[in-house]
Amino acid sequence: MYGPGQPLDITRYFIIASDTVGSGKSSKPSDGLRMRFPKFIIEDIVRAQHTLLTEGLGINHLLAVMGVSFGGRQTWQWSVQYPEFMSGVVPIVSSPFPNAGRRGMTDFLGIEPIIQDPAWKNGDYDQQPRGLQLALMFYWMFLDGAGHLWEEAPTREQSFQYLPEVAKGWGRNLDANDWIYLMRVNDGFDAYSQLDKVKARVLVINMAGDEQVPVELGHMDKALKKLGDKAEYLLVNEFSDYGHFAAGKTVNIYGPKLGEFLKRLATAEERG
Amino acid sequence: MYGPGQPLDITRYFIIASDTVGSGKSSKPSDGLRMRFPKFIIEDIVRAQHTLLTEGLGINHLLAVMGVSFGGRQTWQWSVQYPEFMSGVVPIVSSPFPNAGRRGMTDFLGIEPIIQDPAWKNGDYDQQPRGLQLALMFYWMFLDGAGHLWEEAPTREQSFQYLPEVAKGWGRNLDANDWIYLMRVNDGFDAYSQLDKVKARVLVINMAGDEQVPVELGHMDKALKKLGDKAEYLLVNEFSDYGHFAAGKTVNIYGPKLGEFLKRLATAEERG
């Protein structure tokens, strides 16, 4: 992906990747403030990234903003919050619509088992509450696809062992309060209703079997209609049994389209 | 459905419907034994139904066995456990395969929030543990479809209110231990590996958007291949945004096929 001649060729492009507020090495509830950490939403994350670029790195224009999943949602937010800042945006396995319907309920169930756990103690726990594992197990079910999960656990016994193992691995470096903030960061997100602000060229890449961004909702048709000839759409049908995770299995399939999109943006910028 | 000239015309057919062991007015953990209630699996339920028919009602042959969802699974079990007992079987929104993969994980997550709840007290609670509500909320997500859930809760706020309301209504007449037994009743179920025993004619009716019996697993193709010319298959594409619940919305669509199937069975029986 990053080698010479590849889509995100680092001999050709400067790539900036930041940990978002609330995760990685950025400030987050588990640094100490716990549930007293200020509430932040996607708009704040994108504003922080913009500040990092303009005030921290002295950059006032990007060739493109791109991101996968939650990063894809940030990408949609960039397209409406700072429409002049970049020539293109590439949201991958993501939707500009609010997290409503089943997607919103997934966020709800990502929080509820934690806050219902008496061991959570309103965020002032001594060790990670068990409800975090439950929340992660539940969330996982909408990330992977039915086909791949059948392959992973083709017997009932295996299916009963699978999620606890997943949660154990995933939960090792996770903090329950950080996770709650991550679920709540989607509050108020709605890039769809603001798509008329978009100036950048848009390449949307989604996966056919993705339960997080279900094709059957028809949302992408609506978004593309609003974006008109600014937008291109690639729906990847391969590895659809991997659900949301298909994005990680099909880089070689959507990579060329992504590389070509960036090249076109660069050529257009060079021409002024 | 039951009126004169309709598929299950009660002026033409005797219809026997029993509460299964563990639910309704049949014996169940909540009668008093709680988690000391004997373990039962689908094979036991079908055996009890068989005993009811032969010893209770003096019936030694049925025109057809049919059922929806869990009833459909019992129907598959009938087809391999008492293959000579009926001329036809009609499993609706159901699979002869074990509850493995994501389906098995749904059963796992249907139990786990309850037994992790300290208020469950190994089944000896004074009032229903809160974990039951959580389990029902998890389970619901695989019954309804993404499309219908979006219609029900088109904003994030509504999506956060939806599941607690569902669980409140659903949980009103449910007992946590009964529910645990219901999830565990699927232990060992595997009609698929025994399909060579089937003697009855089979009409399988499934729904295109059903997350409980996902078309994309290709299981029905395998089952139909084993059943050969004994089987017919109707995949209902209408109301696919309702998921598993499409079965309740499309009776008028699959009803005629069901009625015609029963008539053919009756005609064949009359001819001997």
Side-chain angles (χ1 to χ4, degrees), chain B:
Chain B
M1 195 68 162
Y2 302 99
Q6 291 189 304
L8 300 178
D9 184 346
I10 54 170
T11 66
R12 189 182 173 111
Y13 305 112
F14 291 104
I15 296 177
I16 305 160
S18 71
D19 283 335
T20 58
V21 180
S23 69
K25 293 185 177 169
S26 290
S27 301
K28 49 193 182 300
S30 62
D31 291 342
L33 285 176
R34 299 183 171 222
M35 293 304 287
R36 290 168 291 281
F37 193 86
K39 180 169 169 60
F40 57 94
I41 57 175
I42 292 180
E43 200 182 320
D44 301 314
I45 287 176
V46 168
R47 190 180 305 111
Q49 289 166 340
H50 184 264
T51 305
L52 170 70
L53 290 168
T54 53
E55 296 177 24
L57 301 172
I59 291 169
N60 287 298
H61 187 79
L62 295 171
L63 181 66
V65 172
M66 60 179 69
V68 178
S69 190
F70 177 40
R73 200 181 293 129
Q74 293 166 45
T75 303
W76 283 111
Q77 183 62 29
W78 264 95
S79 77
V80 298
Q81 192 168 334
Y82 299 107
E84 312 272 4
F85 204 86
M86 60 271 151
S87 299
V89 292
V90 188
I92 301 173
V93 288
S94 158
S95 159
F97 279 73
N99 276 10
R102 195 175 67 187
R103 184 63 190 80
M105 294 171 203
T106 319
D107 287 353
F108 173 83
L109 284 174
I111 297 172
E112 200 64 9
I114 302 173
I115 66 179
Q116 282 197 17
D117 186 343
W120 176 60
K121 298 178 184 171
N122 297 312
D124 291 325
Y125 41 82
D126 299 313
Q127 52 185 28
Q128 297 299 325
R130 209 173 167 191
L132 172 62
Q133 303 278 313
L134 210 49
L136 296 178
M137 291 194 275
F138 283 159
Y139 206 83
W140 188 267
M141 297 280 275
F142 291 93
L143 293 173
D144 209 341
H148 178 239
L149 287 173
W150 187 277
E151 282 169 32
E152 288 283 334
T155 70
R156 184 165 165 90
E157 291 71 26
Q158 287 167 314
S159 75
F160 270 52
Q161 288 158 6
Y162 186 77
L163 290 177
E165 280 167 21
V166 160
K168 206 175 160 191
W170 192 10
R172 194 165 289 138
N173 298 309
L174 265 185
D175 172 80
N177 295 335
D178 289 351
W179 178 258
I180 291 173
Y181 272 79
L182 190 62
M183 295 288 109
R184 291 182 177 163
V185 78
N186 299 305
D187 280 356
F189 172 75
D190 181 6
Y192 173 71
S193 69
Q194 309 174 63
L195 285 182
D196 54 313
K197 295 182 186 166
V198 175
K199 300 272 193 226
R201 290 208 56 86
V202 182
L203 170 61
V204 180
I205 301 174
N206 279 339
M207 305 290 137
D210 187 353
E211 304 280 2
Q212 295 259 327
V213 187
V215 175
E216 65 264 30
L217 292 180
H219 283 173
M220 216 42 66
D221 301 332
K222 289 184 185 173
L224 291 170
K225 201 173 168 189
K226 270 203 175 187
L227 289 167
D229 58 13
K230 277 194 291 291
E232 297 160 65
Y233 182 44
L234 176 62
L235 181 68
V236 177
N237 290 301
E238 288 85 351
F239 287 92
S240 66
D241 48 336
Y242 281 75
H244 198 60
F245 291 145
K249 308 286 287 183
T250 57
V251 174
N252 290 337
I253 293 163
Y254 61 80
K257 175 99 179 165
L258 174 57
E260 180 256 344
F261 179 77
L262 292 177
K263 271 189 198 161
R264 263 192 288 138
L265 293 179
T267 306
E269 284 199 354
E270 280 159 20
R271 283 185 191 148

Side-chain angles (χ1 to χ4, degrees), chain A residues 32-52:
Chain A
L33 284 177
R34 301 184 170 220
M35 293 303 289
R36 290 168 290 280
F37 194 87
K39 181 170 172 56
F40 57 94
I41 57 175
I42 292 180
E43 199 181 320
D44 300 314
I45 289 177
V46 168
R47 190 179 306 111
Q49 289 166 341
H50 183 264
T51 304
L52 170 71

Side-chain angles (χ1 to χ4, degrees), chain A:
Chain A
M1 194 69 163
Y2 302 97
Q6 293 190 304
L8 300 178
D9 184 346
I10 55 171
T11 67
R12 188 181 173 111
Y13 305 112
F14 291 105
I15 296 178
I16 305 159
S18 72
D19 284 336
T20 58
V21 179
S23 69
K25 294 185 178 170
S26 289
S27 302
K28 49 194 181 300
S30 62
D31 291 344
L33 284 177
R34 301 184 170 220
M35 293 303 289
R36 290 168 290 280
F37 194 87
K39 181 170 172 56
F40 57 94
I41 57 175
I42 292 180
E43 199 181 320
D44 300 314
I45 289 177
V46 168
R47 190 179 306 111
Q49 289 166 341
H50 183 264
T51 304
L52 170 71
L53 289 168
T54 52
E55 296 176 25
L57 301 173
I59 291 169
N60 289 299
H61 187 80
L62 295 172
L63 182 64
V65 171
M66 59 179 69
V68 178
S69 190
F70 177 41
R73 200 180 294 129
Q74 292 167 48
T75 304
W76 283 112
Q77 182 63 30
W78 263 97
S79 76
V80 298
Q81 194 169 334
Y82 299 106
E84 314 270 5
F85 204 86
M86 61 271 152
S87 298
V89 292
V90 188
I92 301 172
V93 288
S94 158
S95 159
F97 278 73
N99 276 9
R102 195 175 68 188
R103 185 65 190 79
M105 294 172 203
T106 318
D107 287 354
F108 173 82
L109 284 173
I111 296 171
E112 200 64 9
I114 301 173
I115 64 178
Q116 282 197 16
D117 186 343
W120 176 59
K121 297 177 185 172
N122 297 313
D124 290 327
Y125 42 81
D126 300 313
Q127 52 185 25
Q128 296 300 326
R130 209 172 167 193
L132 173 61
Q133 303 278 313
L134 212 48
L136 297 178
M137 291 195 273
F138 179 69
Y139 205 82
W140 188 265
M141 297 279 275
F142 290 92
L143 293 173
D144 208 341
H148 178 239
L149 286 172
W150 187 276
E151 282 170 32
E152 287 283 334
T155 70
R156 185 165 164 89
E157 292 71 25
Q158 287 167 313
S159 75
F160 270 52
Q161 289 157 6
Y162 186 77
L163 291 177
E165 280 165 22
V166 160
K168 206 175 159 190
W170 192 9
R172 195 164 288 141
N173 298 311
L174 263 186
D175 172 78
N177 295 335
D178 289 351
W179 177 257
I180 291 173
Y181 273 79
L182 190 61
M183 294 289 108
R184 292 182 178 163
V185 79
N186 299 303
D187 280 355
F189 172 75
D190 180 7
Y192 173 70
S193 68
Q194 308 173 64
L195 285 182
D196 54 313
K197 296 182 187 165
V198 175
K199 301 267 193 229
R201 290 209 55 86
V202 183
L203 170 61
V204 180
I205 300 174
N206 279 338
M207 306 290 139
D210 187 354
E211 304 280 3
Q212 295 258 329
V213 188
V215 175
E216 66 264 30
L217 291 182
H219 284 173
M220 217 41 68
D221 302 332
K222 289 184 186 173
L224 291 170
K225 201 173 167 190
K226 269 202 175 187
L227 289 167
D229 59 11
K230 275 194 292 288
E232 295 161 66
Y233 182 44
L234 176 62
L235 181 68
V236 177
N237 290 300
E238 287 86 349
F239 288 90
S240 66
D241 49 335
Y242 281 75
H244 198 62
F245 291 144
K249 310 286 286 184
T250 56
V251 174
N252 289 339
I253 292 163
Y254 61 77
K257 174 98 180 166
L258 174 57
E260 180 257 344
F261 179 77
L262 292 178
K263 269 188 198 161
R264 262 192 289 139
L265 294 179
T267 306
E269 284 199 354
E270 281 159 20
R271 284 186 191 148

